[in-house]
Amino acid sequence: MSETPPALPVTFRPGRTRAILLTAGIAIFVVISGIGLLLEKVGPGERLTFVLTGALTFWVLAQLARVKVVADESGVTVVNIASSRKLDWAEIVQVNLRQGDPWVFLNLTDGTSLPALGIQPGVAKQRAIADARALRTLVEQRAPRDPEPSQG
């Protein structure tokens, strides 16, 4: 292990992507609601529909922006768009971010792979690579490994 892991607890999230999504959500809400409120030949129900459409759009973008990976002493919590999963350190076999991957994938002891959308190279590729390496280092340090079989 050549890298020094970050201090725990640590949260990995796509900061720029999050800022873009939340800013866009606010802007869309304001514009759609503003249009609905400024139209003269629109009744209260239709105005409410404009506001609710803007709010729904903001909510969807906020759900996309909530993704994160939180590492603490007890393990890793992966928060994706519609789900959240708490993993013990021992459950994580490998942290993968290969060229062309949209986000990190965690290979687990049960043979499955869990996408971790909180680390994604979309807007900030170098940051995502550094975050993936940091998480990999934490996993290598904390996950118990079977000892090598003896050569006897």
Side-chain angles (χ1 to χ4, degrees):
M1 270 178 272
S2 60
E3 305 216 5
T4 303
L8 295 178
V10 62
T11 300
F12 303 103
R13 64 175 64 204
R16 290 181 187 161
T17 301
R18 180 178 164 85
I20 291 167
L21 288 169
L22 292 175
T23 302
I26 291 168
I28 290 169
F29 173 75
V30 168
V31 169
I32 291 176
S33 297
I35 289 171
L37 296 174
L38 292 174
L39 290 174
E40 293 178 12
K41 296 182 180 182
V42 175
E46 293 165 314
R47 289 182 200 275
L48 181 61
T49 301
F50 274 91
V51 173
L52 290 176
T53 300
L56 178 63
T57 303
F58 174 78
W59 181 81
V60 168
L61 293 175
Q63 292 303 301
L64 294 172
R66 75 186 270 264
V67 299
K68 63 183 174 181
V69 177
V70 180
D72 60 28
E73 291 295 334
S74 64
V76 176
T77 302
V78 177
V79 178
N80 287 333
I81 296 167
S83 67
S84 179
R85 183 166 173 191
K86 175 73 174 166
L87 301 165
D88 292 329
W89 288 108
E91 290 181 79
I92 304 170
V93 175
Q94 190 175 30
V95 177
N96 288 318
L97 180 61
R98 295 177 296 253
Q99 186 172 353
D101 281 350
W103 39 72
V104 161
F105 289 90
L106 304 177
N107 291 343
L108 306 178
T109 54
D110 65 3
T112 63
S113 181
L114 176 67
L117 279 64
I119 303 174
Q120 51 182 266
V123 178
K125 186 175 183 176
Q126 294 307 315
R127 170 71 187 266
I129 291 170
D131 287 351
R133 285 182 179 148
L135 183 58
R136 183 178 299 129
T137 300
L138 286 168
V139 168
E140 289 171 354
Q141 261 192 356
R142 298 187 176 282
R145 299 287 176 235
D146 292 332
E148 294 284 327
S150 60
Q151 303 288 329

